[in-house]
Short mmCIF file of all heavy atoms in Angstrom, two decimals:
data_model
loop_
_atom_site.label_atom_id
_atom_site.label_comp_id
_atom_site.label_asym_id
_atom_site.label_seq_id
_atom_site.Cartn_x
_atom_site.Cartn_y
_atom_site.Cartn_z
N LEU O 18 210.33 145.40 84.75
CA LEU O 18 210.80 146.74 84.43
C LEU O 18 211.03 146.85 82.94
O LEU O 18 211.72 146.01 82.34
CB LEU O 18 212.09 147.04 85.20
CG LEU O 18 212.78 148.37 84.89
CD1 LEU O 18 211.90 149.53 85.30
CD2 LEU O 18 214.12 148.43 85.60
N GLY O 22 208.06 152.96 75.71
CA GLY O 22 208.00 152.48 74.34
C GLY O 22 208.13 150.98 74.21
O GLY O 22 207.88 150.43 73.13
N SER O 32 192.81 128.47 88.29
CA SER O 32 193.01 127.16 88.88
C SER O 32 192.02 126.12 88.38
O SER O 32 192.23 124.92 88.59
CB SER O 32 192.89 127.26 90.41
OG SER O 32 191.61 127.71 90.79
N GLU O 33 190.97 126.56 87.73
CA GLU O 33 189.96 125.67 87.21
C GLU O 33 189.33 126.28 85.97
O GLU O 33 189.46 127.48 85.74
CB GLU O 33 188.90 125.38 88.27
CG GLU O 33 188.15 126.60 88.76
CD GLU O 33 187.18 126.28 89.87
OE1 GLU O 33 187.64 126.08 91.01
OE2 GLU O 33 185.97 126.21 89.59
N SER O 38 179.77 132.06 81.94
CA SER O 38 179.26 133.32 82.44
C SER O 38 180.34 134.22 83.04
O SER O 38 180.07 135.37 83.36
CB SER O 38 178.18 133.08 83.49
OG SER O 38 178.70 132.39 84.62
N GLN O 46 196.58 149.37 89.73
CA GLN O 46 196.56 150.33 90.82
C GLN O 46 197.95 150.90 91.02
O GLN O 46 198.88 150.18 91.40
CB GLN O 46 196.07 149.67 92.12
CG GLN O 46 195.90 150.64 93.27
CD GLN O 46 195.14 150.02 94.42
OE1 GLN O 46 195.02 148.81 94.53
NE2 GLN O 46 194.61 150.87 95.29
N GLU O 51 193.60 154.94 93.34
CA GLU O 51 192.59 153.90 93.37
C GLU O 51 192.77 152.93 92.21
O GLU O 51 193.35 153.25 91.18
CB GLU O 51 191.19 154.52 93.32
CG GLU O 51 190.83 155.34 94.54
CD GLU O 51 189.40 155.81 94.52
OE1 GLU O 51 188.68 155.53 93.54
OE2 GLU O 51 188.98 156.45 95.49
N ARG O 52 192.27 151.74 92.41
CA ARG O 52 192.32 150.71 91.39
C ARG O 52 191.46 151.14 90.20
O ARG O 52 190.34 151.60 90.37
CB ARG O 52 191.82 149.40 91.98
CG ARG O 52 191.93 148.18 91.09
CD ARG O 52 191.75 146.93 91.93
NE ARG O 52 190.64 147.07 92.87
CZ ARG O 52 190.37 146.23 93.85
NH1 ARG O 52 191.14 145.17 94.04
NH2 ARG O 52 189.34 146.44 94.65
N PHE O 54 190.11 150.27 86.01
CA PHE O 54 189.86 149.29 84.98
C PHE O 54 190.84 149.44 83.83
O PHE O 54 191.18 150.54 83.42
CB PHE O 54 188.43 149.44 84.47
CG PHE O 54 188.09 148.60 83.28
CD1 PHE O 54 187.79 147.25 83.43
CD2 PHE O 54 188.07 149.14 82.01
CE1 PHE O 54 187.47 146.47 82.34
CE2 PHE O 54 187.75 148.37 80.91
CZ PHE O 54 187.45 147.03 81.08
N ALA O 56 191.08 146.41 81.08
CA ALA O 56 190.48 145.68 79.97
C ALA O 56 189.67 144.51 80.50
O ALA O 56 189.90 144.04 81.61
CB ALA O 56 191.56 145.18 79.01
N PRO O 62 180.86 134.63 73.67
CA PRO O 62 181.87 135.05 72.71
C PRO O 62 182.90 135.98 73.34
O PRO O 62 182.63 136.61 74.36
CB PRO O 62 181.06 135.78 71.63
CG PRO O 62 179.89 136.32 72.38
CD PRO O 62 179.55 135.26 73.39
N TYR O 66 186.74 144.74 75.91
CA TYR O 66 186.47 146.11 76.31
C TYR O 66 187.74 146.69 76.90
O TYR O 66 188.49 146.00 77.60
CB TYR O 66 185.33 146.15 77.34
CG TYR O 66 184.06 145.52 76.85
CD1 TYR O 66 183.85 144.15 76.98
CD2 TYR O 66 183.07 146.28 76.22
CE1 TYR O 66 182.69 143.55 76.50
CE2 TYR O 66 181.91 145.70 75.75
CZ TYR O 66 181.72 144.33 75.89
OH TYR O 66 180.57 143.75 75.42
N TYR O 67 187.99 147.96 76.63
CA TYR O 67 189.21 148.61 77.08
C TYR O 67 188.92 149.99 77.66
O TYR O 67 187.96 150.66 77.27
CB TYR O 67 190.20 148.79 75.93
CG TYR O 67 190.65 147.50 75.29
CD1 TYR O 67 189.96 146.96 74.21
CD2 TYR O 67 191.76 146.83 75.78
CE1 TYR O 67 190.38 145.78 73.62
CE2 TYR O 67 192.18 145.64 75.20
CZ TYR O 67 191.48 145.12 74.12
OH TYR O 67 191.90 143.94 73.55
N SER O 69 189.86 153.90 77.89
CA SER O 69 190.32 154.80 76.84
C SER O 69 191.82 155.03 76.89
O SER O 69 192.44 155.30 75.86
CB SER O 69 189.58 156.15 76.95
OG SER O 69 189.82 156.76 78.21
N ARG O 74 196.72 150.24 72.38
CA ARG O 74 198.06 149.86 72.82
C ARG O 74 198.07 148.48 73.49
O ARG O 74 199.05 147.75 73.37
CB ARG O 74 198.62 150.89 73.80
CG ARG O 74 198.78 152.27 73.22
CD ARG O 74 199.54 153.18 74.18
NE ARG O 74 198.82 153.36 75.44
CZ ARG O 74 199.29 153.02 76.64
NH1 ARG O 74 200.50 152.47 76.75
NH2 ARG O 74 198.58 153.24 77.74
N LEU O 88 197.35 139.78 78.64
CA LEU O 88 197.31 141.21 78.34
C LEU O 88 198.62 141.58 77.66
O LEU O 88 199.66 141.62 78.31
CB LEU O 88 197.11 142.04 79.60
CG LEU O 88 196.93 143.54 79.38
CD1 LEU O 88 195.59 143.82 78.69
CD2 LEU O 88 197.00 144.31 80.70
N GLN O 89 198.56 141.82 76.36
CA GLN O 89 199.72 142.27 75.61
C GLN O 89 199.78 143.78 75.71
O GLN O 89 198.83 144.47 75.32
CB GLN O 89 199.63 141.84 74.15
CG GLN O 89 200.78 142.31 73.28
CD GLN O 89 202.11 141.70 73.68
OE1 GLN O 89 202.19 140.50 73.88
NE2 GLN O 89 203.13 142.54 73.81
N LEU O 100 200.57 148.22 89.81
CA LEU O 100 200.40 146.81 90.12
C LEU O 100 199.18 146.34 89.34
O LEU O 100 198.09 146.89 89.50
CB LEU O 100 200.20 146.61 91.63
CG LEU O 100 200.17 145.18 92.14
CD1 LEU O 100 201.51 144.50 91.90
CD2 LEU O 100 199.83 145.16 93.62
N TYR O 102 196.35 143.65 88.29
CA TYR O 102 195.59 142.55 88.86
C TYR O 102 194.70 141.89 87.82
O TYR O 102 194.07 142.57 87.01
CB TYR O 102 194.67 143.04 89.98
CG TYR O 102 195.36 143.59 91.20
CD1 TYR O 102 195.61 144.95 91.33
CD2 TYR O 102 195.75 142.74 92.24
CE1 TYR O 102 196.22 145.46 92.46
CE2 TYR O 102 196.36 143.25 93.37
CZ TYR O 102 196.59 144.60 93.47
OH TYR O 102 197.20 145.11 94.60
N CYS O 103 194.64 140.59 87.88
CA CYS O 103 193.69 139.83 87.10
C CYS O 103 192.47 139.58 87.96
O CYS O 103 192.59 139.36 89.17
CB CYS O 103 194.31 138.50 86.67
SG CYS O 103 193.23 137.42 85.72
N ALA O 104 191.30 139.64 87.37
CA ALA O 104 190.07 139.44 88.12
C ALA O 104 189.05 138.69 87.28
O ALA O 104 189.09 138.73 86.05
CB ALA O 104 189.49 140.78 88.56
N SER O 131 210.10 152.83 83.11
CA SER O 131 211.03 153.89 83.48
C SER O 131 212.28 153.82 82.62
O SER O 131 212.70 152.75 82.20
CB SER O 131 211.41 153.75 84.96
OG SER O 131 212.33 154.75 85.35
N SER O 132 212.87 154.99 82.38
CA SER O 132 214.09 155.05 81.60
C SER O 132 215.28 154.61 82.44
O SER O 132 215.31 154.77 83.65
CB SER O 132 214.33 156.48 81.10
OG SER O 132 213.28 156.92 80.27
#
Side-chain angles (χ1 to χ4, degrees):
L18 175 64
S32 62
E33 61 184 76
S38 63
Q46 186 168 18
E51 294 186 358
R52 186 165 44 190
F54 173 80
Y66 303 86
Y67 299 91
S69 60
R74 298 189 297 120
L88 185 69
Q89 178 65 48
L100 187 63
Y102 295 94
C103 179
S131 179
S132 300

